Amino acid sequence: MKDLSTEEILELASHFSLEGGGVSAEPFGNGNVNDTFLLVTDCGHRYTLQRINHDVFKDPVSLMDNFARVTQHLAQKYAEGQTTLQTLVLVPALDGSSYLIGEHGNYWRVTEYVPGGLSLEVPESREHAYEAGRAFGDFQYQLCDLPGNPLIETIPDFHNTESRYHAFLRAVDADPCQRASEAADLISFAKENEHLATLIRYADFPTRTVHNDTKLNNVLLHETTGTGLCVVDLDTVMPGCVLHDFGDLVRTAACSSEEDEPDISKIHFLPDRFSALVEGYLCGVQDLLDPVEVEHLAEAPQVITYELALRFLTDFLLGDTYFKVKRPGHNFERARAQFQLLRSMQEYAPQMKSTVSSCLTAGPA
Ligand code: GN1
Ligand code: MG
């Protein structure tokens, strides 16, 4: 998407019901898909302004309908005292709509900025991991009685690992950028682990409303107390499987480094963070889970780590068209880092299983 000047962004922002007029708009956060700006007005009010990537999200209108339903439901739960987690608050456009269509058919939205929140790339403590687990568990629990029809699938087959594997094989065969030889070791490792592509299939688990993008940096933790404050990045909230949420949180919060760490000797699984995540998640999710879901908690992180590695590798092979890249080879480094994390998780697999069992036996913290 074309880069916009600050003036153009502020002009767009002026079509929303803001307190004051926009004076600055700086790029914000670490999203790999949408463009996010921190918007400040002349009376000091802060907002988050986002351009929805409609190459990725093909139906932004339905996406925004999901967004409005989810945030209204969570706000009601908060008001009733059923959760301590805040939710994002949409700021309407001047015409009352939840979004604005700008030039080139881009969709924009504004939410209130959430003050006092930390967004971490790597966990700083066991307590942070516990709170992140509790927050995403609570998020799933609060949404189990979302009224009305199921949410629209904003990206169909999003966590269909098997179809991600087939897309990867097609990319290897096509090799449009002649990058497959450079990635030969990663391609072999991906093929050796093909069994992970079918370990968790949607059809074998209850369909629930889940987040689907539970990276650690998508939950804000209170900057002084460290407690869960607000779950953010709601574009992929849709029907799915709880295990992908739990797995993706472990992928990012029980790892020693960021997901694109170029030095693989620094990447390893952190078992103490994992046990904190299990404890926190089981506390937040209360009695929601069926036995079949609980039985797969220990394996889910491997599956999702594998899936992300496949997605990064596929994007590398296809010429970096999906994820934003900051440097040449960025997707290659991401894929290599995820495969390294997967190797480390595989060494800890028996311990992960016993951690889940002992957390279940110990009961609520
Ligand atoms: C993307 O944009 P961001 O960082 O919130 C991606 C996730 C990946 C993540 C990896 C819609 O999320 O699935 O896990 O990058 N979102 C989409 O960093 O594809
Ligand atoms: Mg996201």
Side-chain angles (χ1 to χ4, degrees):
M1 280 189 266
K2 172 180 160 283
D3 281 338
L4 296 182
S5 66
T6 305
E7 289 67 34
E8 288 171 305
I9 296 170
L10 292 178
E11 202 286 316
L12 264 152
S14 71
H15 296 276
F16 285 88
S17 306
L18 306 178
E19 274 184 41
V23 287
S24 69
E26 298 290 330
F28 185 65
N30 287 330
N32 290 324
V33 172
N34 289 331
D35 297 311
T36 308
F37 303 89
L38 176 63
L39 176 72
V40 183
T41 67
D42 49 14
C43 57
H45 206 101
R46 287 178 291 177
Y47 299 93
T48 307
L49 171 71
Q50 279 186 311
R51 175 164 57 180
I52 302 167
N53 180 337
H54 62 255
D55 290 331
V56 168
F57 297 104
K58 310 277 187 214
D59 182 358
V61 175
S62 299
L63 181 155
M64 288 310 297
D65 187 52
N66 282 359
F67 197 113
R69 286 178 58 196
V70 166
T71 50
Q72 272 161 23
H73 184 72
L74 294 176
Q76 191 184 333
K77 295 275 178 164
Y78 183 77
E80 290 166 356
Q82 296 191 45
T83 178
T84 54
L85 284 140
Q86 299 172 25
T87 187
L88 292 176
V89 176
L90 275 170
V91 176
L94 293 175
D95 67 1
S97 166
S98 60
Y99 57 85
L100 177 82
I101 305 178
E103 263 187 60
H104 312 294
N106 283 313
Y107 285 70
W108 293 81
R109 68 163 168 248
V110 173
T111 50
E112 294 281 352
Y113 176 79
V114 182
L118 274 181
S119 168
L120 301 170
E121 299 300 324
V122 178
E124 287 172 1
S125 65
R126 217 181 163 273
E127 288 67 33
H128 281 160
Y130 178 91
E131 280 299 317
R134 194 177 67 81
F136 282 118
D138 182 78
F139 184 85
Q140 292 175 345
Y141 182 76
Q142 302 304 335
L143 287 172
C144 71
D145 59 352
L146 179 75
N149 291 329
L151 297 176
I152 301 294
E153 275 190 273
T154 57
I155 304 180
D157 276 333
F158 190 56
H159 286 306
N160 183 335
T161 318
E162 196 175 8
S163 75
R164 299 286 187 184
Y165 183 70
H166 290 296
F168 153 73
L169 291 181
R170 286 195 298 277
V172 174
D173 279 348
D175 195 17
C177 306
Q178 280 94 50
R179 291 179 171 181
S181 58
E182 195 184 331
D185 291 350
L186 301 187
I187 293 169
S188 303
F189 187 71
K191 289 182 176 173
E192 282 159 29
N193 283 279
E194 185 189 341
H195 66 282
L196 290 172
T198 49
L199 206 62
I200 295 178
R201 289 185 162 117
Y202 292 120
D204 300 333
F205 298 93
T207 302
R208 306 190 191 280
T209 302
V210 299
H211 185 281
N212 283 310
D213 188 7
T214 51
K215 286 200 294 195
L216 179 66
N217 67 12
N218 279 336
V219 56
L220 304 180
L221 303 179
H222 194 286
E223 64 190 359
T224 46
T225 64
T227 50
L229 192 63
C230 185
V231 169
V232 301
D233 195 351
L234 306 178
D235 297 323
T236 49
V237 180
M238 58 181 161
C241 171
V242 291
L243 294 167
H244 295 121
D245 278 8
F246 177 72
D248 209 20
L249 179 61
V250 172
R251 177 181 77 80
T252 49
C255 180
S256 56
S257 37
E258 295 195 28
E259 74 177 4
D260 58 356
E261 172 58 55
D263 178 356
I264 59 166
S265 70
K266 292 186 181 157
I267 304 171
H268 47 266
F269 177 71
L270 300 173
D272 71 316
R273 300 289 196 274
F274 178 69
S275 61
L277 289 163
V278 178
E279 283 169 27
Y281 177 70
L282 290 175
C283 168
V285 83
Q286 302 188 44
D287 57 358
L288 181 72
L289 302 187
D290 285 357
V292 68
E293 295 169 309
V294 173
E295 280 157 22
H296 287 80
L297 284 175
E299 286 169 340
Q302 279 193 45
V303 171
I304 201 89
T305 303
Y306 179 65
E307 182 183 293
L308 261 295
L310 289 178
R311 291 178 63 196
F312 290 139
L313 186 52
T314 304
D315 201 31
F316 172 70
L317 294 169
L318 296 181
D320 308 314
T321 59
Y322 186 94
F323 296 105
K324 289 183 194 169
V325 286
K326 294 190 178 140
R327 49 186 182 267
H330 198 177
N331 273 317
F332 178 90
E333 288 172 358
R334 286 169 171 148
R336 189 175 56 184
Q338 295 306 298
F339 282 131
Q340 181 62 24
L341 175 62
L342 175 60
R343 269 191 208 96
S344 179
M345 279 178 182
Q346 286 173 335
E347 284 168 24
Y348 282 99
Q351 189 175 330
M352 288 168 83
K353 262 198 172 335
S354 57
T355 298
V356 173
S357 305
S358 49
C359 290
L360 287 166
T361 320

